[in-house]
Amino acid sequence: MKTKASKIAVIVVTVILIVALVAIAVSIFQQNSSIEKQISALKEAHCTISDGITTYEAFTVNDYEIRLYPEPTMTAEEALDTYPNAYALCTEVAEERGIEASIDNAEFQTFAKSFAAQNESGTDELIQECKAFATFIDYYENIELNDTILRGAITDDPDVDIFELMPEK
């Protein structure tokens, strides 16, 4: 009898722990979702769009003056459709160098921005496409940086030095 009761007790405690962990996970997900909504709302409220670039006026979050970098209005998928030859060229060389060729990979962004901007090989059209792709990447990498700045300001995260990350006045 004692063994069966012990097994039942272990099962009950295990179920309680699982339920508690699921509740914590749901809470974290909801909090992150709320922060992402706040980031989107703040960006939308303080932006101006012109010539495919979103710029931001300075604004305040939790007593911090926030300054953000310009971002492209074009999505990554649209850029890959717009600059297919430049992306293919950057991808080929990046993979030869052991760099994961993903437009959302920071190492690839750094590589592609520099490589595409300096490319002087190929047709005039390819050279111009590479330069435009490098410009897109330069703006595209700002999206994650801006989100990090805002996430740090919203949550008052001591591990995120928003002043170090923000552009100068």
Side-chain angles (χ1 to χ4, degrees):
M1 286 286 200
K2 188 174 185 183
T3 312
K4 191 173 184 178
S6 296
K7 288 180 182 179
I8 292 173
V10 168
I11 292 171
V12 168
V13 169
T14 302
V15 168
I16 290 170
L17 288 174
I18 291 171
V19 169
L21 289 173
V22 168
I24 290 169
V26 167
S27 175
I28 290 170
F29 175 77
Q30 288 173 337
Q31 180 182 9
N32 286 341
S33 178
S34 172
I35 291 169
E36 297 308 313
K37 287 178 184 175
Q38 289 177 57
I39 288 171
S40 293
L42 285 166
K43 282 180 155 184
E44 188 174 319
H46 301 283
C47 76
T48 303
I49 298 173
S50 178
D51 296 325
I53 302 298
T54 303
T55 55
Y56 299 94
E57 62 189 43
F59 57 96
T60 303
V61 174
N62 290 338
D63 295 326
Y64 298 116
E65 180 188 39
I66 301 298
R67 297 176 310 281
L68 299 176
Y69 295 91
E71 299 177 1
T73 56
M74 184 184 300
T75 67
E77 293 78 22
E78 291 168 338
L80 298 182
D81 289 340
T82 304
Y83 311 116
N85 300 313
Y87 179 70
L89 180 63
C90 290
T91 296
E92 179 182 339
V93 177
E95 288 176 346
E96 288 173 3
R97 297 181 183 188
I99 299 170
E100 179 191 346
S102 167
I103 200 161
D104 291 316
N105 176 0
E107 184 180 14
F108 178 76
Q109 291 172 353
T110 300
F111 169 79
K113 185 170 59 171
S114 175
F115 182 79
Q118 296 176 29
N119 179 52
E120 295 295 330
S121 299
T123 65
D124 287 342
E125 291 81 18
L126 177 61
I127 292 168
Q128 291 308 311
E129 183 178 319
C130 284
K131 291 185 184 334
F133 182 63
T135 300
F136 168 79
I137 292 292
D138 190 35
Y139 286 117
Y140 184 74
E141 65 188 355
N142 292 343
I143 296 169
E144 183 61 34
L145 181 56
N146 288 342
D147 288 356
T148 300
I149 291 166
L150 287 171
R151 200 173 290 107
I154 290 167
T155 62
D156 210 15
D157 186 342
D159 294 330
V160 178
D161 185 352
I162 63 173
F163 299 108
E164 183 69 28
L165 296 175
M166 286 191 288
E168 295 182 14
K169 289 183 180 183

